[in-house]
């Protein structure tokens, strides 16, 4: 489209669109924000009623439980790492010990 219509260009350059103001726009936005804030707690209240816990106690217990679960997972991971390190260290020490007392292992290790 290399053909340019000068009238169209002039009209497009001068065109301005001003949408009409939406009534109660800010109030509706804040209403939606507040409703979105309550959605996770609605699910928490549902779970609390199924567990037989009052919802007002469950509201603070949910973040606390999540924090405790995270701490437990970190502790479990650190413990598993320590046990694995201990086991591999014991294997390495045992292998080194066997190489010092077994004549076949001593000659095999000196060839390399």
């Amino acid at each position: 489209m290399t053909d340019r219509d000068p009238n169209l260009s002039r009209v497009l350059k001068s065109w301005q669109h001003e949408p009409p103001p939406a009534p109660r726009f800010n109030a509706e936005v804040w209403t939606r924000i507040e409703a979105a804030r309550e959605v996770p707690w609605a699910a928490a209240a549902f779970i609390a009623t199924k567990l037989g816990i009052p919802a007002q106690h469950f509201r603070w217990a949910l973040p606390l439980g999540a924090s405790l679960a995270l701490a437990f997972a970190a502790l479990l991971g650190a413990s598993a790492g320590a046990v694995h390190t201990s086991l591999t260290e014991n294997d390495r020490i045992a292998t080194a010990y066997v190489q010092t007392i077994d004549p076949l292992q001593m000659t095999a290790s000196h060839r390399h």
Side-chain angles (χ1 to χ4, degrees), residues 66-105:
S67 299
L68 290 174
L70 181 63
F72 178 72
L75 183 63
L76 186 65
S79 299
V83 167
H84 177 70
T85 301
S86 175
L87 290 176
T88 56
E89 184 70 16
N90 288 342
D91 288 345
R92 189 186 63 76
I93 291 171
T95 302
Y97 175 71
V98 167
Q99 286 178 349
T100 61
I101 62 170
D102 186 6
L104 294 175
Q105 292 284 330

Side-chain angles (χ1 to χ4, degrees), residues 24-90:
R24 296 185 25 85
F25 176 77
N26 286 340
E28 290 175 3
V29 168
W30 282 108
T31 302
R32 288 194 309 260
I33 290 172
E34 290 301 319
R37 284 182 182 166
E38 292 300 320
V39 168
W41 296 116
F46 175 76
I47 294 170
T49 56
K50 293 295 181 187
L51 295 175
I53 302 170
Q56 67 267 19
H57 298 306
F58 193 75
R59 190 172 186 133
W60 61 264
L62 188 62
L64 178 63
S67 299
L68 290 174
L70 181 63
F72 178 72
L75 183 63
L76 186 65
S79 299
V83 167
H84 177 70
T85 301
S86 175
L87 290 176
T88 56
E89 184 70 16
N90 288 342

